[in-house]
Amino acid sequence: PSYDSTLDPSDLGSGGGAAGDPGCGPSPDGGNGGGAVLLSVGNMATLNGLVSADGDDGGAGAGGGSGGTVNVKAGTLAGAGTVRANGGSSGSSSGGGAGGGRIALTASVASTFSGAVSAVAGTGGNNGAPGVAAIKVSPATGYDLFVDGRGVIPSTHTPIPSGLPGVANLSVSTVNLTGGTLSLSNDLNLGTRANATIPQLSVARNLVVPSGAFSAFLSGAVTVQNDIVVSNQGSAVLVGTYTVLNDAIVQDGATLATSSMSVTRDLVVRSGAKLRHPANGAARQYWLHLTIGHDFDLQSGGMVDLVGVGYAGGASRNGSGPGFGSGATGFCDSTGGGAGHGGTGGAAGTRNLSPGGIAYDSAAAPTDLGSGGGAAGDPGCSNSVAGGGGGGALLMTVANRATLNGI
């Protein structure tokens, strides 16, 4: 598990586990944990070299040592050096990688520090999770938190304490982030592979997905005081209940998949952009529920794309949903039935004549997903083919004007 303070850490990194039993000959040692650098400077601290509290790598099959602590407090922070508290790796693919350590850089007056900070996890059969870097550049601002795996895909998670005070910005990338209640006085920046589960989050300014990034942010309730922006070619899955007090903008070529979003002003989907909801399985879990306080603008080339994200098709036999298509059984050349919804589904045309699905849902005010089709071929046969997924569901209320110029 993780330990120590996020904003004022002081502890050492921990040691990794050894490989092999001592009675079986050479037993490779686990890596030592990183040390702790605790530095308090009354005036200016200039960091131009390397300050490292990295954990050691483990031997073959042994676990790496976790990153330690670098905690620097100064009136002014300056320099362009490197501050590290990286986790150690296993000496082979069978041992575990260590978690990154903790970094805190606090300026009580001002900061011009432009160097690199890194609390990356170690690699192994299962990679560790990145640590947290907290940087405060002046007394008037809160801490900026950085959790960046730098491309090392974690096998576990990085926790953020619930109710952590004084946080301005949170920037996350290549991480599985967990936490409780969190309030940001500025922005949330979601980089590539930023997977997060935070039950309650308040963002005072913007939620931003940078260009080309892919993020999944799962949460119970999120309030964004200004804008949600999914930048050009970015992709975000935002699951939970999102309240946006200004605009939500899906820029050129970007994709936003969400389930429930209330936008006080405008929702804009630009050229080449897609708006959708996440795919469902056997049960109804996601649909696109939008409440827009002013305008919905689907621009030319934009798309609301809900193809195949309804109830799942049958992987081996029956599809899912109230109007599921029946799947094939008993014969390698059996065929599956089509699913129903507004109309009934067609029965399979050959061999076992698997029946199609029933009609369901309201004719005047429909709300349900499309159902999945039945599979073809018996599961024991190499030619078994899954049925198609049903279409999704869009439930949208627009207070002022809806302009639909998309594909």
Side-chain angles (χ1 to χ4, degrees), residues 36-341:
V37 179
L38 310 178
L39 183 62
S40 181
V41 180
N43 194 359
M44 178 180 288
T46 302
L47 307 176
N48 276 326
L50 170 64
V51 181
S52 175
D54 291 350
D56 279 340
D57 293 340
S66 63
T69 290
V70 178
N71 188 345
V72 180
K73 301 174 183 177
T76 301
L77 289 170
T82 299
V83 179
R84 286 198 325 232
N86 295 339
S89 296
S90 173
S92 71
S93 61
S94 57
R102 296 190 181 275
I103 296 171
L105 305 178
T106 305
S108 60
V109 177
S111 175
T112 60
F113 178 71
S114 60
V117 295
S118 173
V120 178
T123 60
N126 288 296
N127 299 334
V132 181
I135 301 176
K136 186 172 184 177
V137 298
S138 79
T141 63
Y143 279 91
D144 295 337
L145 298 188
F146 299 89
V147 190
D148 189 350
R150 304 286 177 88
V152 177
I153 309 301
S155 300
T156 182
H157 65 279
T158 300
I160 297 292
S162 182
L164 191 67
V167 179
N169 299 291
L170 175 60
S171 299
V172 293
S173 184
T174 324
V175 63
N176 300 318
L177 192 72
T178 60
T181 300
L182 182 62
S183 295
L184 306 178
S185 61
N186 206 359
D187 294 340
L188 171 63
N189 295 285
L190 297 177
T192 295
R193 293 184 180 271
N195 301 308
T197 305
I198 297 179
Q200 187 169 353
L201 174 67
S202 175
V203 181
R205 291 191 66 235
N206 302 312
L207 188 160
V208 179
V209 179
S211 297
F214 172 79
S215 298
F217 197 81
L218 287 74
S219 184
V222 178
T223 301
V224 180
Q225 300 287 339
N226 198 27
D227 296 340
I228 286 182
V229 179
V230 185
S231 302
N232 295 354
Q233 310 302 319
S235 180
V237 180
L238 305 181
V239 177
T241 302
Y242 283 75
T243 302
V244 185
L245 300 186
N246 198 27
D247 298 329
I249 302 170
V250 189
Q251 295 186 341
D252 294 359
T255 299
L256 171 60
T258 188
S259 53
S260 179
M261 184 174 291
S262 174
V263 182
T264 299
R265 286 187 51 79
D266 299 337
L267 172 58
V268 180
V269 181
R270 293 184 174 161
S271 178
K274 292 182 181 181
L275 182 65
R276 57 185 317 180
H277 63 70
N280 288 271
R284 176 178 171 173
Q285 186 176 7
Y286 305 116
W287 59 96
L288 191 54
H289 185 194
L290 302 173
T291 303
I292 302 168
H294 195 241
D295 292 345
F296 174 59
D297 184 7
L298 180 63
Q299 298 183 356
S300 179
M303 180 187 300
V304 179
D305 179 11
L306 303 181
V307 175
V309 294
Y311 294 108
S316 57
R317 292 192 176 169
N318 293 344
S320 304
F324 69 88
S326 295
T329 57
F331 303 97
C332 289
D333 59 351
S334 297
T335 52
H341 187 184

